[in-house]
Every structure is written in structure tokens, then in C-alpha cells.
Amino acid sequence: MILLLAALAASATPDSDAARFADCVALANANPAKALDEASAWRIQGGGVLARQCTGLAYAALNRWQSAALAFEQAAKASEADGDGRSARLWVLAGNAALAGREAVKARAYFDSALASGILKGGEAGEAHLDRARARFAADDTKGARVDLDTALKLVPADPLGWLLSATLARKDGDLKRAQTDIIEATKLALDDASVANEAGNIAMISGAEDEARASWSEAVRIKPDSPAGKAAAAALAQLPPKSGAAPKP
């Protein structure tokens, strides 16, 4: 996601800077440590916004999330000073880096800045609301997360993550009807997503549909057994009693 947003944020730049930035993105994928050196040299040479963005990408590729968030923040502030119209996307990059670094409160502030700019429209605004919902959810602000999710679902209804998070939030809030409705939408959009299958199992289980829960959790394990969702589903299955008529485990 970060590299995709980076490409969007670099639009409408001079050809020479755009070419150097594209090289930096490729280098960050192949050799992030070398990309970090390149970005530092570029900044010294007066590279400005894109050099700072390149620095953030290199740090992100190295999983140095706090440093990445700071670099994207600096790029966003420089963009605002230049008035080049890229700041909102850079704030989104900063927010996603902060989320990856488990700094939910800081991430929420970055997404606030992105949305307050008024630059993001349509789908981009929807994804930013979805990101801010993730940050609010992680910070235990469930009411705020619900507001952002409902907005995101209107703007980006084809994104299964929105429906998944909405279903999860509804389950945790005890709204089983909403949880069931939303997980059905998520499943339609992401048939082979272990996280969706695992959540479908969670919702089915607390709804009293053990067979459906068992089937959904089994599907999550089939899809991606080594993922967090696959492992959670396997653990849930292990807690279930043997099905009636099944041979006991040795």
C-alpha cells in the first residue's frame, strides 16, 4: 500500500525529479539500505519533498516504521509549504507507517491532517476514512471508528476491508445483525481471504451456528494456514468439541 500511495503522491512533478523518484522506488524494493543512502544524498542536493518521500519509502522497506512516519511527515509539511497539492497523500503515507509501527494515536493525527486538507476526493477520501477507522479501532475509539467506517463504505463499497472491519466492530459491539450482514458483503468481495473467513467463523459461533463457524474457520485454515487469521481459526477449531458421531482424537 505504501509504495502504491507513493506513486500517486509523486504525480505532477518535473520529469527529472519524477525519473529520479521512480528510480528510488525501484531501489527501495531491491536494496532499501542503498535507497536510504541515495535519498540522503538527494536531500543534501536540495531534493525537497520527493527526496524526503524517498527516505520514508526506504525506511518502510526496512520496517523502520517510526523513522518512515517521520520522513513522510516532513515530506507532507514541505509539500504544504510548497503548495504542490501532494500533502494529503503524504499524510496518508505517514499514517500507514505509524499504524504499521503500532502508533495508533499518532496515525489518527496524520489521517486527520490528510482529510482536513480537503484534497482527497471520492475513493481516495474513502480509503483515508477507512485508514482512520483502523487507527481509531486500534486506539479503542470504537464510536469514532464506526463514523469513519460508515463514511468509507459509502465512498469505497467495493473494498472488502471496509466490510470486514465493519463486521468485526459490530460483533464486538454486540450488533450481531449488522455483523452478519457486513461479513456476507466482505465474503462476496473476498472469497479467498483468510481474515474474512476467520471473522465469518467468529460471527457464526457467537450467533449459535457452530457448524457454520466450523466451516468458516476450516476455510480460513485452508486459504492461508500460516497467517495470523489462519492460526487464529485453527486455535478456534481446536477448542470445539468433536462433531457428533466423529471418531475421538487419539
Side-chain angles (χ1 to χ4, degrees):
M1 178 182 286
I2 282 182
L3 292 180
L4 173 61
L5 288 169
L8 291 171
S11 61
T13 61
D15 288 345
S16 59
D17 284 348
R20 188 167 186 177
F21 181 77
D23 289 342
C24 177
V25 172
L27 190 58
N29 277 313
N31 189 336
K34 189 173 181 180
L36 188 57
D37 290 340
E38 164 63 20
S40 298
W42 192 7
R43 287 179 60 188
I44 292 172
Q45 296 164 6
V49 173
L50 290 181
R52 287 175 169 79
Q53 187 177 348
C54 176
T55 302
L57 293 173
Y59 278 130
L62 291 165
N63 293 326
R64 294 173 60 180
W65 298 113
Q66 290 183 340
S67 296
L70 178 59
F72 291 135
E73 176 186 344
Q74 292 171 343
K77 289 179 177 178
S79 175
E80 288 178 341
D82 291 348
D84 61 17
R86 296 197 301 265
S87 61
R89 298 182 183 96
L90 292 163
W91 285 122
V92 169
L93 288 170
N96 276 285
L99 266 181
R102 301 183 184 278
E103 294 184 290
V105 174
K106 182 176 288 187
R108 185 258 169 92
Y110 288 144
F111 294 129
D112 284 346
S113 295
L115 289 163
S117 71
I119 295 171
L120 302 178
K121 305 294 182 184
E124 282 190 295
E127 293 297 340
H129 277 287
L130 180 53
D131 285 336
R132 190 167 69 178
R134 293 166 54 220
R136 283 176 153 168
F137 190 86
D140 295 322
D141 177 13
T142 56
K143 290 184 178 179
R146 171 51 65 195
V147 172
D148 272 321
L149 279 173
D150 287 346
T151 300
L153 291 175
K154 292 176 182 177
L155 293 172
V156 283
D159 189 332
L161 179 59
W163 295 105
L164 171 60
L165 291 181
S166 184
T168 302
L169 181 58
R171 171 175 61 82
K172 292 190 173 184
D173 282 345
D175 186 352
L176 288 183
K177 184 176 181 180
R178 175 82 189 258
Q180 291 164 345
T181 298
D182 289 356
I183 200 63
I184 288 172
E185 293 300 319
T187 302
K188 289 177 182 176
L189 293 166
L191 288 173
D192 287 326
D193 189 305
S195 295
V196 172
N198 179 55
E199 183 57 32
N202 295 337
I203 293 168
M205 192 63 189
I206 64 172
S207 301
E210 183 180 312
D211 286 346
E212 290 182 22
R214 192 186 298 271
S216 293
W217 284 330
S218 296
E219 184 67 2
V221 173
R222 181 196 68 78
I223 293 168
K224 206 166 187 180
D226 293 332
S227 68
K231 290 178 180 179
L237 284 168
Q239 297 300 314
L240 292 178
K243 292 188 69 173
S244 178
K249 294 181 179 179

